[in-house]
Amino acid sequence: QVQLVESGGGLVQAGGSLRLSCVISTRTFDNNPVGWFRQAPGVEREFVAAFSWSGGILYYADSVKGRFTISRDNAKNTVYLQMNSLKPEDTAVYYCAVRTFGATATSEQGYGYWGQGTQVTVSS
């Protein structure tokens, strides 16, 4: 059974940085895109960042472009989300997910496996 485990969340002041990690328990999905989503209280889960199927294109939500960077290290089965210049509106539970079908990187529907999430809180 595939497991995705996120870590790296926490409490940070506005303008600070965090790096989230997502460890995937199997090498089966080395060639599958991985994405990050987030959900704030009372709000639907939203797309943050993801790889294309080829890995050559990176997708970002407009709200995080220029501040967040997604990367992966297949040797470590790990995907990262580097978050800089954090804002209070970035406060949310952040989830990583493996895309198993579909062509739309920004849609949850194509992601078949999800982690349990890690809380990020940005204070003003």
Side-chain angles (χ1 to χ4, degrees), residues 22-109:
C22 171
V23 178
I24 303 170
S25 64
T26 175
R27 299 296 301 269
T28 302
F29 299 110
D30 277 2
N31 295 321
N32 286 55
V34 176
W36 286 94
F37 291 77
R38 67 186 182 186
Q39 187 168 24
V43 179
E44 289 188 355
R45 189 157 55 188
E46 65 175 3
F47 168 77
V48 176
F51 290 93
S52 65
W53 276 101
S54 69
I57 299 174
L58 306 180
Y59 300 97
Y60 294 96
D62 288 343
S63 58
V64 308
K65 276 182 185 175
R67 300 187 299 120
F68 290 13
T69 302
I70 188 172
S71 63
R72 74 190 297 171
D73 184 341
N74 280 351
K76 296 182 179 181
N77 282 14
T78 303
V79 177
Y80 303 98
L81 185 68
Q82 177 67 45
M83 306 186 296
N84 299 327
S85 302
L86 283 161
K87 305 175 181 180
E89 51 263 44
D90 295 318
T91 295
V93 176
Y94 284 71
Y95 300 89
C96 64
V98 173
R99 190 142 59 102
T100 52
F101 68 95
T104 307
T106 59
S107 171
E108 287 189 32
Q109 293 182 354

